[in-house]
Amino acid sequence: MAWALYDWANSAFATTVMAGFFPVFFKQYWNAGVPVTESTFRLGVTSGLASLLVALMAPVLGAIADRSSSRVRLLMLVTVLGAASTAGLALVGQGQWLVAVGLYLAASLGFWGGIVFNDSLLLHVAEPENTTSCPATAMHWGISAAGCSSP
């Protein structure tokens, strides 16, 4: 149950922050007064950097998750990183796009790191016959969370 609830909460982050408010705030508030072409370029670079960070870190985090006995502690660590970074976005002032980029990158690492460590727990929290139904349930809840939390 906890495994699926974590996945549910992550889905809300993806639809609300990543796809919802970050692009809008980034272009209209943290890049206020900047030509639209430049703010769009900055948003694209930010999204690209986040993807690159995930691509570089995911194999490392996955290996740590597979070999470590501290999956739950690492899951808590990246969850706190993601939540604190996301909350920190509320404190970023108008025009401070570089601060927003740094916090977004940290939040993305927390989000994707959370997925890696949460997924590594599946084999330890579900009975072998439930290793496919547990993610399916979590995906169902995640889609529900996405629909409920979207702007």
Side-chain angles (χ1 to χ4, degrees), residues 35-55:
V36 70
T37 54
E38 188 174 342
S39 67
T40 301
F41 174 76
R42 289 176 179 175
L43 180 59
V45 169
T46 299
S47 295
L49 283 173
S51 296
L52 178 63
L53 178 67
V54 169

Side-chain angles (χ1 to χ4, degrees), residues 45-99:
V45 169
T46 299
S47 295
L49 283 173
S51 296
L52 178 63
L53 178 67
V54 169
L56 294 174
M57 294 298 297
V60 174
L61 295 176
I64 292 169
D66 289 343
R67 301 281 182 203
S68 175
S69 62
S70 56
R71 289 177 187 91
V72 174
R73 280 183 295 207
L74 293 169
L75 176 61
M76 288 190 310
L77 177 71
V78 295
T79 300
V80 169
L81 172 67
S85 300
T86 301
L89 288 171
L91 304 174
V92 178
Q94 188 171 11
Q96 295 181 321
W97 68 275
L98 280 174
V99 176

Side-chain angles (χ1 to χ4, degrees), residues 67-137:
R67 301 281 182 203
S68 175
S69 62
S70 56
R71 289 177 187 91
V72 174
R73 280 183 295 207
L74 293 169
L75 176 61
M76 288 190 310
L77 177 71
V78 295
T79 300
V80 169
L81 172 67
S85 300
T86 301
L89 288 171
L91 304 174
V92 178
Q94 188 171 11
Q96 295 181 321
W97 68 275
L98 280 174
V99 176
V101 166
L103 288 170
Y104 182 72
L105 292 176
S108 294
L109 181 59
F111 170 75
W112 291 107
I115 289 175
V116 168
F117 290 118
N118 192 47
D119 287 353
S120 75
L121 289 170
L122 179 60
L123 296 175
H124 302 280
V125 299
E127 297 297 326
E129 64 272 6
N130 293 332
T131 57
T132 55
S133 64
C134 189
T137 301

Side-chain angles (χ1 to χ4, degrees), residues 20-40:
F21 94 79
F22 184 79
V24 174
F25 270 70
F26 188 80
K27 289 183 58 86
Q28 296 179 4
Y29 184 71
W30 295 314
N31 276 283
V34 174
V36 70
T37 54
E38 188 174 342
S39 67
T40 301

